[in-house]
């Protein structure tokens, strides 16, 4: 039978379309079958095992390795948290941010701290083994980040360095003893303050001493060390500026005053340490601050320093991997140079065996134990031999921000003891017992 002309003209396209459709359907069906197989396979792999075996009594059920490992790991963490260094006595809590500085009062029973949360806290420490300590909180002005603190009049007032957008400032708070007045706690008030003491530069640290050398009148003097090259000396009680010096170096690292108030020493990012003398008039007031000597011998930047209790020697730590003890009790006016008494190799190394550098140094009141820090590690050394008395790795859960010895013995469970306090960016302040010197 012959097809009509119009139908025969459509037969080829129609047949082609039909065949194409059939082929497309076959491909689609095959694709769907493969996807279904994949989904079933994935579902099968992710399906948990048949729970029926777990219905057996627990004494017959084999332990799950994963759960056992997790359980053991959990207990290991708990045990690690429970472990304390033998010299770790107590922790002062309550800070809500990094603790930036700390200091003891002259009697050793009051510990003041400043924190990045903008608060000053004063803790009363009568026995380091106490479960809790009485404390007083003072809030700084809004927007002020505290960077340093010292006691300025026994235990009755503190001076705080703070950094704000407008620059660095000093604030003196009086009556911080917290003693009740007419049945109510006294409210510390600002006795004096100075704004922009180092321009826009922040204060790296504050140092203080009771002036007892020569004709000094026993007043408290304070040094503020800027992050640039300037250091200023202040009267702790009145806030009067007593003198200012320039290190003439790129940046300061820290500065400190000798215990008797005679010398001021500064470490910068250079190998040399510069020393000034605070000269007193016959009436006991500060007359001037003059440069008297320079400690030369290190081969790299000095990272930290401290005076020995007698104010006649200085200990310095450098990135060259050494600690040096210097004799500065010389007749500098007759051109006598300070002498290096001892040189020790820093005994602390990192995981790769590289010598660490010390961030902070503090000598015990009896001069027998040198406390040093590097990152989160706290170490105690013998200043006479350089030997390690003890080491506390990860003394804080983060970098240690400050260390200070109590100037007087404090009771530890009824026993008068030499106590070190440390602060960290882990929001904690810790109290440590001095190691036995015989341990070396």
């Amino acid at each position: 039978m012959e097809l009509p002309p119009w139908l025969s003209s459509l037969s080829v396209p129609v047949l082609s379309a039909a065949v194409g459709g059939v082929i497309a359907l076959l491909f689609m069906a095959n694709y769907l079958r493969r996807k279904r197989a994949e989904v079933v396979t994935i579902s099968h792999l992710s399906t948990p095992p048949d729970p029926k075996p777990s219905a057996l009594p627990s004494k017959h059920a084999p332990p799950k390795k994963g759960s056992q490992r997790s359980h053991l790991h959990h207990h290991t963490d708990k045990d690690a948290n429970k472990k304390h260094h033998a010299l770790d006595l107590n922790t002062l809590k309550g800070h809500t941010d990094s603790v930036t500085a700390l200091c003891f009062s002259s009697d050793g029973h009051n510990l003041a701290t400043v924190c990045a949360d903008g608060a000053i806290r004063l803790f009363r420490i009568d026995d380091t083994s106490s479960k809790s300590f009485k404390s007083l909180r003072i809030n700084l002005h809004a927007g002020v980040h505290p960077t340093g603190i010292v006691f300025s009049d026994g235990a009755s007032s503190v001076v705080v360095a703070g950094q704000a957008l407008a620059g660095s400032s000093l604030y003196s708070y009086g009556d911080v003893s917290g003693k009740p007045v007419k049945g109510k706690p006294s409210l510390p008030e600002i006795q004096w303050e100075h704004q922009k003491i180092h321009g826009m530069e922040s204060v790296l640290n504050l140092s203080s001493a009771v002036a007892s050398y020569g004709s000094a009148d026993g007043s408290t003097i304070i040094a503020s060390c800027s992050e640039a090259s300037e250091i200023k000396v202040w009267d702790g009680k009145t806030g009067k500026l007593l003198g200012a010096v320039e290190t003439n170096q790129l940046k300061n690292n820290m500065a400190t005053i000798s215990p008797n108030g005679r010398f001021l020493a500064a470490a910068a990012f250079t190998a040399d340490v510069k020393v000034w003398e605070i000269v007193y008039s016959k009436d006991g007031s500060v007359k001037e601050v003059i440069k008297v000597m320079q400690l030369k011998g290190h081969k790299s930047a000095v990272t930290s320093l401290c005076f020995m209790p007698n104010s006649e020697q200085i200990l310095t730590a450098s990135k060259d991997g050494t600690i040096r003890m210097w004799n500065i009790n010389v007749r500098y006016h007759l051109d006598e140079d300070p002498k290096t008494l001892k040189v020790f190799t820093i005994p602390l190394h990192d995981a790769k065996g590289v010598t660490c550098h010390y961030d902070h140094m503090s000598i015990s009141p009896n001069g027998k134990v040198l406390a040093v820090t590097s990152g989160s590690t706290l170490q105690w050394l013998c200043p006479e031999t350089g030997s390690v008395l003890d080491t506390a790795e990860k003394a804080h859960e983060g970098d240690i921000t400050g260390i200070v010895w109590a100037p007087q013995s404090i009771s530890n469970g009824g026993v008068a003891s030499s106590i070190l306090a440390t602060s960290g960016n882990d929001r904690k302040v810790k109290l440590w017992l001095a190691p036995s010197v015989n341990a070396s």
Side-chain angles (χ1 to χ4, degrees):
M1 178 177 171
E2 187 177 352
L3 295 173
W6 62 271
L7 182 59
S8 62
S9 64
L10 293 175
S11 61
V12 175
V14 170
L15 287 174
S16 298
V19 172
V22 171
I23 293 173
L25 288 173
L26 290 174
F27 274 107
M28 181 62 69
N30 186 45
Y31 171 77
L32 292 174
R33 279 197 302 272
R34 290 201 311 269
K35 292 301 291 183
R36 186 184 177 195
E38 291 177 7
V39 171
V40 171
T41 303
I42 294 171
S43 176
H44 176 71
L45 291 173
S46 61
T47 301
D50 189 350
K52 288 182 180 180
S54 64
L56 295 173
S58 58
K59 64 180 180 180
H60 298 296
K64 295 180 180 179
K65 293 183 179 180
S67 299
Q68 187 179 29
R69 188 182 300 113
S70 176
H71 181 70
L72 291 174
H73 182 68
H74 175 68
H75 275 285
T76 301
D77 288 345
K78 289 183 68 176
D79 292 342
N81 290 334
K82 289 180 180 179
K83 291 180 181 178
H84 292 285
H85 192 277
L87 302 179
D88 186 355
L89 299 177
N90 216 326
T91 299
L92 305 182
K93 301 178 181 178
H95 305 91
T96 62
D97 208 331
S98 173
V99 183
T100 54
L102 75 170
C103 67
F104 272 107
S105 60
S106 57
D107 62 2
H109 288 294
N110 292 280
L111 180 64
T113 68
V114 283
C115 180
D117 62 11
I120 307 167
R121 291 175 176 85
L122 295 108
F123 297 88
R124 178 69 185 181
I125 303 176
D126 292 317
D127 195 306
T128 59
S129 64
S130 299
K131 292 184 178 180
S132 62
F133 302 91
K134 293 181 180 179
S135 62
L136 174 68
R137 172 174 174 155
I138 306 170
N139 291 323
L140 295 170
H141 296 308
V144 175
H145 177 83
T147 58
I149 186 168
V150 291
F151 278 92
S152 63
D153 188 13
S156 63
S157 62
V158 293
V159 173
V160 179
Q163 180 71 15
L165 293 176
S168 54
S169 303
L170 282 183
Y171 305 91
S172 174
Y173 288 86
D175 194 20
V176 297
S177 60
K179 295 179 180 179
V181 177
K182 295 181 180 180
K184 296 182 180 181
S186 59
L187 298 176
E189 296 180 353
I190 295 179
Q191 294 178 316
W192 53 262
E193 64 179 284
H194 294 299
Q195 304 293 328
K196 297 183 179 180
I197 59 171
H198 294 292
M200 296 301 296
E201 306 292 342
S202 65
V203 174
L204 290 177
N205 76 292
L206 290 180
S207 175
S208 69
V210 175
S212 59
Y213 177 76
S215 60
D217 59 7
S219 60
T220 299
I221 53 175
I222 298 171
S224 61
C225 177
S226 79
E227 64 179 354
S229 58
E230 186 180 50
I231 303 170
K232 289 187 175 181
V233 180
W234 312 82
D235 183 286
K237 188 173 184 179
T238 66
K240 179 183 177 181
L241 179 62
L242 303 176
V245 298
E246 276 283 338
T247 59
N248 292 319
Q249 297 175 112
L250 183 61
K251 276 190 174 184
N252 291 330
N253 201 357
M254 63 159 294
T256 187
I257 299 177
S258 62
N260 63 2
R262 181 186 180 187
F263 293 113
L264 170 67
F269 290 96
T270 65
D272 298 340
V273 172
K274 294 183 178 180
V275 181
W276 294 262
E277 182 174 9
I278 302 171
V279 181
Y280 297 90
S281 302
K282 291 183 179 180
D283 63 0
S285 61
V286 173
K287 180 181 179 181
E288 59 183 340
V289 182
I290 57 174
K291 183 182 175 183
V292 292
M293 66 187 81
Q294 195 160 330
L295 311 183
K296 296 183 178 182
H298 282 297
K299 298 178 181 179
S300 189
V302 174
T303 59
S304 187
L305 62 85
C306 67
F307 283 91
M308 291 291 285
N310 61 11
S311 299
E312 295 180 356
Q313 288 92 37
I314 292 179
L315 289 164
T316 59
S318 168
K319 286 186 177 180
D320 64 12
T322 65
I323 298 172
R324 286 176 177 259
M325 180 184 288
W326 309 80
N327 175 32
I328 59 171
N329 186 27
V330 297
R331 295 176 294 179
Y332 63 85
H333 54 282
L334 297 178
D335 295 328
E336 282 188 5
D337 295 325
K339 300 292 189 299
T340 299
L341 300 177
K342 298 175 183 179
V343 181
F344 307 125
T345 300
I346 291 178
L348 188 64
H349 302 84
D350 63 16
K352 296 181 179 180
V354 178
T355 302
C356 299
H357 69 265
Y358 290 136
D359 307 309
H360 304 280
M361 303 176 70
S362 184
I363 191 77
S364 61
N366 61 9
K368 294 183 178 181
V369 181
L370 175 65
V372 292
T373 73
S374 179
S376 62
T377 298
L378 172 62
Q379 197 168 53
W380 295 267
L381 307 176
C382 173
E384 291 299 321
T385 64
S387 59
V388 178
L389 300 177
D390 212 328
T391 302
E393 296 181 356
K394 296 183 179 179
H396 282 261
E397 299 168 16
D399 287 348
I400 298 171
T401 57
I403 57 175
V404 62
W405 288 94
Q408 305 290 337
S409 296
I410 304 176
S411 174
N412 176 43
V415 179
S417 305
S418 183
I419 303 298
L420 176 77
T422 62
S423 60
N425 58 21
D426 58 356
R427 302 181 287 185
K428 295 178 182 178
V429 171
K430 289 190 173 185
L431 302 177
W432 305 80
L433 184 66
S436 172
V437 177
N438 296 329
S440 61

